[in-house]
């Protein structure tokens, strides 16, 4: 039974724009969608040259010849922002083309498609349009067709860790030392397994939920850490995270290398069955049909373990660590302090911070080589089929801090958590001209309409009016669409928090007064709380990017910015709380509520009254006595 006190609505998105491709009407291109994980765009030299004029990042040396080549062949969108800075909700927003507040996934909850407000994932729409669909590598979208079923919305699925690691392949595998219990990060029973090149393995205890490790258990763990120069996150709650080290496997036998090998095997076995590296019998794509492959890399997500051949190239590189001071934490509201405490680098030695930065960029350089190999294989397959192609590379499902805001993590409303890049390459150069750089604001909800339109699906029809994004081709071709802000929300680490960013300001706020996932009967209950509660309870954060581009001073509670912060609170709050917000009890088939008290609030416009905007540089750090 549907539980809803506010009438259901169809999500009206008049923003969906679709360009006309020059592919023949009866021709559908092969589509490759690459997604990396925790991938900073400043690890790409082409991105740095486009945004700063220098090849290196603000921290130092990076290497990306293959991604640079890909960018030179198509269009690079340098200001692409995710709609939730965590793996599960970010990937779900990409696969569904809907904001978290409209698809109902705010964290790592396992969702399904039985609820009648849901719509097809992009893979399902492409499958229905005649595509062979495959997801190879990490996916982490957590979408099932029915309640209680595994994630089976793709025709072919190979999940990198369960299949490859169960087969004794891929380096080091951890079950995770901490997990969420009732919204709180708690220690749990966990193990790690090292797979050696000679086929042997070593498994040991990483953590116990109810006790410290014994002396023997600690000695075994420490011996492995010494063997592979493992740097763990020792200054925060989750001390099991690996921020640096060397991979036990050579470059061609790591998990991500095997994912590419599996991708190549899939294409090489068109119209026939074959056995995966993990021993699973599967079918290759039908050679008479176009293919859609979502290729998901684990890297550079933790454990950050680049292979030795790449690590050696970075081990002596100098880097400038981001500046950070305790005064920044002093300006954080409670929610941001929670994110900081669970992610902080304070207390790490300078040498350990340097190792983390070096190993991270070494890992991204390794990923660059694998992406180049995968792209070459995909182009060769398309040429053999005599079929056009479209390649979409999402540089990171979200970002990663390397000391900015005093953190090594994601989960925050700051640029380093949110900003990625998207590269689109097509054999149709009229739609995606070679070497073009676009600095318009784009969002990850744009990826689904881009993939659908790229398959010659007309997304302007009512069937696709649920899409929150636009076809990136329309932005690349400057067809008149523009947005003046990006937005998103998630419910991890510190509870529900939404963010909105414009050219000049970055704003975020608490949206709900609880951390727990939505449950019946508390779906969209007291939904206007964040708009009416005392400003201190809503944990406002406002950064003036005109004078503070690195987001180091929250001015939301200063005298000069108090009224502007309140304006942003009402603007963002009305969008995410009142313009089609879904709260769904995912333990049920169809219990949900849609809040629509501010229908149309998401107008993509920022019309701030001039008298609310302080002059740049004229700030008084004095806190207002609220």
């Amino acid at each position: 039974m549907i539980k809803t006190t506010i009438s259901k609505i169809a999500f009206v998105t008049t923003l969906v724009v679709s360009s006309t491709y020059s592919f023949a009407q009866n021709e559908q291109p092969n589509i490759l969608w690459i997604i990396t994980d925790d991938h900073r765009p400043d690890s790409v030299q082409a991105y740095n040259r486009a945004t700063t004029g220098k090849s290196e990042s603000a921290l130092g040396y990076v290497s990306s010849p293959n991604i640079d080549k890909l960018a030179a062949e198509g269009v690079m969108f340098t200001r692409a922002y995710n709609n939730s800075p965590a793996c599960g909700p970010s990937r779900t927003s990409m696969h569904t083309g809907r904001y978290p507040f409209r698809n109902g996934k705010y964290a790592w909850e396992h969702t399904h498609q039985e609820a009648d407000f849901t719509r097809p994932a992009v893979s399902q729409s492409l499958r229905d349009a005649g595509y062979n669909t495959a997801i190879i590598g990490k996916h982490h979208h957590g979408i099932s067709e029915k309640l209680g079923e595994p994630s089976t919305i793709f025709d072919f699925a190979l999940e990198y860790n369960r299949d490859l690691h169960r087969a004794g392949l891929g380096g080091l595998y951890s079950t995770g030392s901490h997990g969420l219990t009732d919204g709180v990060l708690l220690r749990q029973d966990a193990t790690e397994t090292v797979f050696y090149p000679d086929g042997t393995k070593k498994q040991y205890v990483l953590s116990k939920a109810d006790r410290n490790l014994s002396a023997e258990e600690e000695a075994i763990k420490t011996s492995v850490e010494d063997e592979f120069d493992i740097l763990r996150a020792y200054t925060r709650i989750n001390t099991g995270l690996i921020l640096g080290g060397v991979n036990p496997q050579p470059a061609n036998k790591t998990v991500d290398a095997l994912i590419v090998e599996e991708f190549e095997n899939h294409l090489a076995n068109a119209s026939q069955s074959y056995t995966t590296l993990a021993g699973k019998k599967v079918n290759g794509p039908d050679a008479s049909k176009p293919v859609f492959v979502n290729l998901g890399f684990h890297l550079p997500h933790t454990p950050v373990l680049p292979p030795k051949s790449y690590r050696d190239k970075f081990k002596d590189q100098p880097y400038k660590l981001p500046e950070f001071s305790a005064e920044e934490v002093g300006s954080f509201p409670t929610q941001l302090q929670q994110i900081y405490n669970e992610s902080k680098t304070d207390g790490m030695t300078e040498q350990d911070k340097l190792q983390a930065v070096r190993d991270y960029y070494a890992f991204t350089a390794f990923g660059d080589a694998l992406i180049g190999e995968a792209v070459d294989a995909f182009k060769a397959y398309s040429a053999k089929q005599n079929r056009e192609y479209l390649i979409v590379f999402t540089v990171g499902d979200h970002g990663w801090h390397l000391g900015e805001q005093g953190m090594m993590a994601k989960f925050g409303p700051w640029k380093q958590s949110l900003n990625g890049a998207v590269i689109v390459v097509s054999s149709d150069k009229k739609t995606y001209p070679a070497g073009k750089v676009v600095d318009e604001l784009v969002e990850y909800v744009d990826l689904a309409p881009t993939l659908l339109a790229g398959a010659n699906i007309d997304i302007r029809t009512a069937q696709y009016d649920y899409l929150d994004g636009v076809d990136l081709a329309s932005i690349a071709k400057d067809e008149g669409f523009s947005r003046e802000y990006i937005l998103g929300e998630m419910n991890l680490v510190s509870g529900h928090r939404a963010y909105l960013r414009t050219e000049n300001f970055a704003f975020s706020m608490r949206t709900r007064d609880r951390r727990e996932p939505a449950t019946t009967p508390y779906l969209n209950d007291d939904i206007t709380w964040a708009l009416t509660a005392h400003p201190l309870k809503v944990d406002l954060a406002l950064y003036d990017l005109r004078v503070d581009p690195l987001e180091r001073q929250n001015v939301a509670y200063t005298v000069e910015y108090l009224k502007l912060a309140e304006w942003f609170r009402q603007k963002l709050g009305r969008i995410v709380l009142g313009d089609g917000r879904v709260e769904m009890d995912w333990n049920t088939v169809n219990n949900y509520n849609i809040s629509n008290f501010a229908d149309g609030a998401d107008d993509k416009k920022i019309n701030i009254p001039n008298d609310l905007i302080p002059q740049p540089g004229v700030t008084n750090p004095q806190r207002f006595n609220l």
Side-chain angles (χ1 to χ4, degrees):
M1 186 71 179
I2 300 170
K3 306 275 188 185
T4 177
T5 58
I6 302 172
S7 61
K8 287 184 292 179
I9 59 166
F11 292 128
V12 179
T13 51
T14 57
L15 301 172
V16 174
V17 179
S18 176
S19 291
T20 302
Y21 286 74
S22 58
F23 300 137
Q25 275 302 108
N26 61 349
E27 171 143 17
Q28 295 170 305
N30 288 328
I31 300 176
L32 173 62
W33 184 18
I34 303 171
I35 306 177
T36 45
D37 200 309
D38 290 9
H39 196 171
R40 290 167 63 109
D42 73 353
S43 66
V44 177
Q45 289 182 310
Y47 170 88
N48 294 332
R49 288 192 291 268
T51 55
T52 69
K54 300 178 181 179
S55 293
E56 65 270 17
S57 76
L59 307 187
Y61 173 72
V62 297
S63 177
S64 57
N66 293 287
I67 298 175
D68 291 354
K69 179 183 176 183
L70 193 65
E73 295 175 3
V75 178
M76 178 168 57
F77 300 85
T78 59
R79 291 205 295 168
Y81 285 86
N82 65 67
N83 301 110
S84 195
C87 298
S90 177
R91 290 168 184 263
T92 298
S93 70
M94 288 189 267
H95 280 278
T96 63
R98 307 171 92 172
Y99 293 121
F101 67 90
R102 288 186 179 140
N103 67 36
K105 184 181 175 93
Y106 300 94
W108 289 318
E109 61 267 58
H110 195 98
T111 68
H112 59 76
Q113 295 180 306
E114 286 189 274
D116 57 17
F117 72 86
T118 62
R119 296 294 184 272
V122 65
S123 57
Q124 293 170 307
S125 294
L126 291 175
R127 179 192 61 198
D128 294 345
Y131 275 78
N132 283 276
T133 64
I135 186 164
I136 301 176
K138 182 172 183 177
H139 51 81
H140 203 170
H141 51 70
I143 308 172
S144 297
E145 287 189 297
K146 294 182 181 297
L147 177 64
E149 291 187 356
S151 301
T152 55
I153 65 171
F154 296 90
D155 292 339
F156 168 87
L158 175 68
E159 192 173 357
Y160 79 94
N161 55 353
R162 293 190 175 96
D163 289 74
L164 296 175
H165 282 132
R166 284 172 181 167
L169 303 170
L172 184 148
Y173 174 60
S174 174
T175 58
S177 63
H178 284 70
L180 286 177
T181 302
D182 295 328
V184 179
L185 190 67
L186 297 175
R187 192 170 63 181
Q188 60 187 10
D189 291 343
T191 61
E192 275 182 352
T193 306
V194 173
F195 301 102
Y196 289 89
D198 64 1
T200 61
K201 69 178 183 180
K202 180 186 290 185
Q203 187 174 76
Y204 48 93
V205 179
L206 178 60
S207 67
K208 301 296 289 185
D210 58 349
R211 64 172 174 83
N212 294 328
L213 299 187
S214 68
E216 181 181 5
E217 290 167 338
E218 189 67 50
I220 296 173
K221 181 171 77 77
T222 300
S223 69
V224 173
E225 291 170 345
D226 292 341
E227 183 179 3
F228 299 108
D229 195 22
I230 287 176
L231 169 65
R232 294 195 190 272
Y234 56 87
T235 61
R236 61 212 215 186
I237 296 174
N238 191 353
T239 55
L241 289 178
I242 295 175
L243 300 177
V246 61
N247 204 294
Q249 293 283 357
N252 65 334
K253 295 299 180 182
T254 65
V255 163
D256 288 297
L258 296 178
I259 287 171
V260 173
E261 184 176 342
E262 202 68 76
F263 170 65
E264 294 171 334
N265 289 343
H266 185 64
L267 298 182
N269 284 281
S271 296
Q272 62 186 25
S273 63
Y274 68 101
T275 302
T276 70
L277 297 173
K280 181 189 294 185
K281 196 78 170 180
V282 296
N283 295 319
D286 184 337
S288 66
K289 295 182 178 181
V291 298
F292 165 67
V293 180
N294 179 197
L295 184 63
F297 287 97
H298 174 274
L299 60 78
H301 191 288
T302 56
V304 181
L305 295 173
K308 186 177 185 303
S309 57
Y310 283 84
R311 194 175 191 240
D312 286 348
K313 298 175 184 178
F314 285 78
K315 66 180 180 179
D316 296 321
Q317 290 288 345
Y319 286 94
K320 179 183 178 182
L321 297 174
E323 295 181 356
F324 175 74
S325 72
E327 293 180 5
E328 295 176 51
V329 180
S331 75
F332 288 176
T334 301
Q335 272 194 323
L336 298 190
Q337 288 180 3
Q338 290 174 328
I339 295 172
Y340 166 79
N341 285 331
E342 294 194 8
S343 312
K344 64 183 179 181
T345 56
D346 250 5
M348 289 179 65
T349 67
E350 293 296 292
Q351 192 57 40
D352 286 345
K353 292 178 183 177
L354 277 172
Q355 179 187 341
V357 171
R358 287 167 174 159
D359 288 349
Y360 177 89
Y361 283 130
F363 214 12
T364 61
F366 173 50
D368 173 83
L370 295 180
I371 288 168
E373 181 181 341
V375 166
D376 287 346
F378 179 72
K379 288 180 178 178
Y381 176 80
S382 297
K384 184 177 180 180
Q385 275 199 312
N386 194 28
R387 188 178 289 274
E388 304 279 359
Y389 63 80
L390 178 71
I391 301 170
V392 178
F393 174 29
T394 307
V395 184
D397 54 356
H398 42 70
W400 184 255
H401 295 243
L402 285 172
E404 298 88 356
Q405 283 75 43
M407 298 166 34
M408 285 190 183
K410 56 263 189 172
F411 303 131
W414 301 285
K415 179 181 177 181
Q416 299 300 343
S417 287
L418 306 179
N419 187 202
V422 173
I423 298 171
V424 186
V425 175
S426 174
S427 48
D428 169 20
K429 297 304 179 186
K430 293 181 180 178
T431 304
Y432 291 104
K436 185 170 185 176
V437 175
V438 176
D439 65 358
E440 296 292 324
L441 291 172
V442 302
E443 298 179 279
Y444 281 14
V445 290
D446 295 337
L447 291 163
T450 299
L451 294 165
L452 296 174
N456 271 332
I457 295 173
D458 186 357
I459 61 174
R460 295 167 294 187
T461 63
Q463 180 182 355
Y464 297 99
D465 65 2
Y466 61 87
L467 292 169
D468 285 323
V470 303
D471 176 10
L472 288 176
S474 66
I475 299 177
K477 296 169 72 172
D478 193 22
E479 293 183 343
F481 172 80
S482 67
R483 55 167 61 91
E484 296 180 1
Y485 58 81
I486 62 92
L487 65 144
E489 183 180 1
M490 75 166 200
N491 181 23
L492 282 169
V493 181
S494 63
H496 277 282
R497 190 169 187 86
Y499 52 87
L500 183 151
R501 299 177 67 92
T502 73
E503 186 77 29
N504 294 324
F505 298 100
F507 177 78
S508 62
M509 60 184 282
R510 183 190 293 271
T511 47
R512 304 292 272 140
D513 60 351
R514 61 168 180 262
R515 293 179 62 166
E516 296 77 14
T519 57
T520 309
Y522 307 109
L523 305 176
N524 281 333
D525 61 313
D526 195 16
I527 194 61
T528 60
W529 170 84
L531 298 176
T532 59
H534 192 285
L536 286 176
K537 292 183 178 180
V538 188
D539 291 340
L540 307 179
L542 176 64
Y543 296 91
D544 188 341
L545 303 179
R546 301 170 300 173
V547 294
D548 183 22
L550 300 181
E551 300 170 67
R552 301 189 63 191
Q553 184 185 15
N554 173 25
V555 295
Y557 298 108
T558 60
V559 175
E560 290 81 5
Y561 287 88
L562 193 64
K563 291 182 179 179
L564 180 60
E566 177 62 23
W567 186 91
F568 272 112
R569 170 161 76 141
Q570 298 301 318
K571 175 69 176 181
L572 175 58
R574 286 172 59 81
I575 293 172
V576 300
L577 298 172
D579 193 3
R581 180 184 186 83
V582 172
E583 290 194 1
M584 166 74 187
D585 186 340
W586 293 107
N587 293 313
T588 69
V589 171
N590 210 33
N591 286 2
Y592 67 93
N593 178 278
I594 296 178
S595 169
N596 202 36
F597 69 84
D599 184 20
D602 184 19
D603 60 3
K604 306 304 178 189
K605 302 295 183 183
I606 291 292
N607 297 310
I608 305 171
N610 290 332
D611 61 345
L612 298 185
I613 305 175
Q615 290 298 312
V618 182
T619 61
N620 180 355
Q622 176 186 353
R623 290 289 187 245
F624 190 76
N625 186 18
L626 291 166

